[in-house]
Amino acid sequence: MRKWENIGDKTIPLLFIFIILVFWQLIVDGGIIARYILPSPYDVVVVCIKIIPDIKEHIWTTLQEALIGLVVAIALSVILAVLMDNFTLLKKAIQPLLVVSQTIPVMVLAPLFAMWFGFDMLPKIMVVILVCFFPIVVNLLEGLNSLDQDLLNLMKSMKASRWHIFSLAKFPASLGSFFSGLKIAATYSIIGAVIGEWMGGKSGLGVYMTRVRQSFALDKVFASILIIIVLSLLLFEIIELIQYLAMPWRRAIK
Amino acid sequence: MPIIEDVSFYLDQNEFVTLIGPSGCGKSTIFNMIAGIVPVEEGKVFIDGRDCTGEVGQVSYMYQKDLLLPWKKVIDNTILPLIIKGESVREARKKVIPYLKLFGLEGFEYKYPFQLSGGMRQRAALLRTYMFSKDIVLLDEPFGGLDAITRSKMQSWLLEVIEKVKASVLFVTHDIEEAIYLSDRIYVLTERPARIKEEVAIHLPRPREREIVTTTQFNRIKRHILLNLS
Ligand SMILES: Nc1ncnc2c1ncn2[C@@H]1O[C@H](COP(=O)(O)OP(=O)(O)O)[C@@H](O)[C@H]1O
Ligand SMILES: [Mg+2]
């Protein structure tokens, strides 16, 4: 197995996906599964390219909801995590609630949001916030906690203010975890928006998916899934790029 | 069981005094008490005759770990105490630049700590400690993590630097040779709970050459402390 270790991190999963896709293609082409039940990967890509010009609006709506939700979730998480980090009582009070909030299935909350906030963007954004909030807060809290106790003492011995301890040490020390949470949140955000849209609305990938599903256009359902995957990966990569730019010392380590 | 029991010692101006004792006997705890970051249950700390027990910010303190901030370049690490005092990065950098050469950091100021060797990192940490500019400097096993050759170079270098910048140094180590080579006086501590077993004055001439560690006088002191520690 040793020689596998020399192959790049991405080669093996890509190869694996490729094998699955070829297998899938052969099953459909060989007529083992009928095309109207399972479209082949090739068909999905062709349909996807064909429909993109028509559903640009839908994609844009979903993307907007995801991005707005993500940004709001980041802002809320940072504020809450910093407060919790500074006030132990608050941390003790809120931490269990955070976990409980994650045990409620989104599929249950999404229709409630639709009932409370109507069929515009707001309920979808709420779903995005809900799914993105938790990974960011948890990771950021862990990051803020990760500061070396000796470094903390050293700064105290220099008479550093709470603000200086936070801005010079705690916050930068937490950035790695923060971005880990952000990447998870980014990948959740698109699907969060889509789930919100399944509950009804005028525009969005989720709305489009509901329509094509009802007309049994399975190839278009799969094409939508493909678009969701691509958008999610795109957001993930953007966060990764921001992290690369924001943490130049990580590059130095490598 | 108390960590420290009845430990009493002094440090004169521009003097180099070392506390030597087995690992875990409470040396770092003594330093933490002087620096005001752990509470003192009994006893007092006086600086210039003033009771400073439990006060932070009265001494420059360096840990065994370099504790450099990985996210800051070397120069910005060394100015940390100035930033904490409220100076701007520009002002502070201007102040530290004249010292970079003396501390052997020239050419490394815009690198990140990860790009530096262990010895260079300790130099940066020492410069940061110096920039806090208190008359008393506490050094807790600053070379403990270095290999023997680097450690020996750093000891000679430290003597040179102290010669130039004039500081009163309180030093901790469990390396007898290091203690004798660097110090004017040595306090030998016992196992936990720490008590002072003996005070040894080192009357070796200064400036000290590296070869001094091979002289009979040096070895006589070494033998004496060695027997006393065990
Ligand atoms: N924060 C702490 N709480 C309780 N015990 C501690 C703490 N820090 C150190 N100790 C104990 O105090 C003793 C002395 O520690 P320390 O001062 O670090 O020793 P040294 O620096 O001489 O190796 C050790 O036995 C250690 O386990
Ligand atoms: Mg120690």
Side-chain angles (χ1 to χ4, degrees):
Chain A
M1 287 307 282
R2 268 215 84 77
K3 47 188 168 182
W4 289 109
E5 286 169 17
N6 297 328
I7 300 174
D9 284 345
K10 291 199 172 142
T11 318
I12 293 171
L14 283 179
L15 199 69
F16 186 58
I17 291 170
F18 181 74
I19 291 170
I20 292 177
L21 287 178
V22 168
F23 188 64
W24 176 357
Q25 184 77 38
L26 290 177
I27 288 177
V28 179
D29 282 349
I32 298 169
I33 299 178
R35 229 164 253 277
Y36 65 90
I37 291 176
L38 184 69
S40 78
Y42 178 76
D43 293 342
V44 171
V45 173
V46 170
V47 170
C48 189
I49 293 169
K50 206 179 79 193
I51 61 171
I52 279 181
D54 303 330
I55 63 170
K56 267 197 305 231
E57 288 291 312
H58 292 301
I59 297 176
W60 178 231
T61 305
T62 303
L63 205 55
Q64 263 180 305
E65 290 158 358
L67 285 178
I68 295 172
L70 189 60
V71 169
V72 174
I74 293 171
L76 286 177
S77 318
V78 171
I79 294 170
L80 190 72
V82 169
L83 284 176
M84 284 170 73
D85 186 60
N86 273 290
F87 303 102
T88 321
L89 191 68
L90 195 68
K91 187 172 180 171
K92 283 192 178 144
I94 292 182
Q95 207 140 31
L97 290 184
L98 279 180
V99 179
V100 169
S101 80
Q102 293 310 297
T103 61
I104 307 167
V106 181
M107 295 304 290
V108 173
L109 283 177
L112 284 178
F113 285 169
M115 280 159 64
W116 293 335
F117 305 114
F119 289 93
D120 280 334
M121 273 189 171
L122 185 62
K124 287 93 178 174
I125 293 173
M126 297 294 284
V127 176
V128 176
I129 295 174
L130 195 76
V131 295
C132 291
F133 181 70
F134 186 73
I136 308 178
V137 172
V138 169
N139 279 283
L140 185 53
L141 271 178
E142 199 178 289
L144 289 171
N145 236 329
S146 73
L147 188 71
D148 189 329
Q149 193 62 36
D150 285 338
L151 183 54
L152 195 67
N153 277 336
L154 180 75
M155 295 197 63
K156 281 184 186 160
S157 85
M158 291 181 187
K159 270 185 157 164
S161 61
R162 275 170 91 101
W163 165 248
H164 270 140
I165 290 177
F166 178 79
S167 62
L168 294 169
K170 273 196 152 182
F171 184 68
S174 75
L175 275 183
S177 310
F178 176 58
F179 276 108
S180 301
L182 221 52
K183 280 185 242 178
I184 299 171
T187 46
Y188 284 0
S189 66
I190 300 282
I191 193 64
V194 169
I195 291 173
E197 287 161 356
W198 283 347
M199 304 307 144
K202 298 174 204 71
S203 172
L205 269 177
V207 176
Y208 175 76
M209 278 180 92
T210 314
R211 283 183 202 156
V212 290
R213 196 179 57 217
Q214 278 159 0
S215 57
F216 296 102
L218 271 195
D219 49 354
K220 287 178 181 157
V221 173
F222 273 88
S224 313
I225 295 173
L226 183 62
I227 294 169
I228 290 169
I229 293 173
V230 169
L231 288 180
S232 301
L233 288 181
L234 204 66
L235 277 188
F236 183 91
E237 290 296 328
I238 290 172
I239 303 282
E240 190 125 287
L241 180 70
I242 296 173
Q243 179 174 20
Y244 180 82
L245 296 174
M247 301 176 72
W249 63 93
R250 275 178 94 243
R251 281 174 259 164
I253 299 169
K254 281 172 190 165
Chain B
M1 183 164 82
I3 298 176
I4 292 149
E5 207 176 80
D6 195 22
V7 170
S8 179
F9 58 91
Y10 69 95
L11 172 71
D12 268 338
Q13 186 149 25
N14 293 337
E15 204 186 13
F16 196 117
V17 169
T18 294
L19 308 182
I20 192 166
S23 278
C25 79
K27 305 182 294 295
S28 299
T29 307
I30 293 174
F31 271 19
N32 282 337
M33 293 192 313
I34 297 171
I37 49 186
V38 306
V40 182
E41 280 168 20
E42 257 178 72
K44 294 213 179 304
V45 179
F46 289 95
I47 296 172
D48 284 336
R50 197 173 69 81
D51 185 352
C52 296
T53 317
E55 271 182 43
V56 292
Q58 301 300 325
V59 292
S60 303
Y61 188 5
M62 176 173 161
Y63 284 63
Q64 173 175 348
K65 282 188 275 181
D66 59 67
L67 295 178
L68 296 173
L69 306 176
W71 44 88
K72 286 206 180 288
K73 298 195 171 111
V74 169
I75 189 164
D76 293 328
N77 262 294
T78 59
I79 61 173
L80 186 71
L82 304 179
I83 299 299
I84 287 174
K85 277 178 195 160
E87 292 186 27
S88 73
V89 173
R90 262 183 49 151
E91 265 176 88
R93 278 187 177 184
K94 225 184 271 171
K95 278 191 190 166
V96 85
I97 281 171
Y99 293 102
L100 288 171
K101 185 155 188 241
L102 177 62
F103 280 76
L105 291 165
E106 235 178 5
F108 294 89
E109 52 268 52
Y110 294 104
K111 293 209 180 301
Y112 285 102
F114 282 100
Q115 297 168 296
L116 266 53
S117 66
M120 293 302 285
R121 292 170 63 155
Q122 290 306 97
R123 284 167 194 252
L126 197 70
L127 178 52
R128 177 181 64 187
T129 310
Y130 179 69
M131 293 314 286
F132 193 55
S133 56
K134 293 290 157 186
D135 298 331
I136 299 171
V137 182
L138 310 185
L139 303 178
D140 188 353
E141 299 192 43
F143 311 138
L146 302 177
D147 64 87
I149 296 170
T150 312
R151 165 187 270 240
S152 153
K153 278 189 195 147
M154 293 290 288
Q155 290 163 356
S156 306
W157 168 79
L158 179 65
L159 284 185
E160 268 173 54
V161 171
I162 287 169
E163 198 71 31
K164 294 215 178 75
V165 300
K166 298 284 181 231
S168 315
V169 181
L170 207 49
F171 196 89
V172 153
T173 184
H174 50 236
D175 178 336
I176 300 175
E177 195 169 294
E178 178 171 86
I180 305 170
Y181 178 56
L182 297 173
S183 315
D184 297 310
R185 277 186 303 120
I186 298 174
Y187 289 100
V188 182
L189 300 180
T190 61
E191 300 260 353
R192 186 178 170 186
R195 268 174 291 108
I196 291 178
K197 205 170 199 179
E198 197 193 12
E199 178 185 344
V200 185
I202 312 294
H203 298 295
L204 296 171
R206 285 188 191 270
R208 291 177 189 166
E209 302 294 328
R210 189 72 233 179
E211 294 79 59
I212 207 167
V213 304
T214 59
T215 60
T216 26
Q217 197 187 357
F218 190 98
N219 279 302
R220 209 168 40 231
I221 305 170
K222 190 169 166 182
R223 182 160 185 277
H224 176 82
I225 296 177
L226 197 62
L227 291 176
N228 219 337
L229 263 177
S230 51

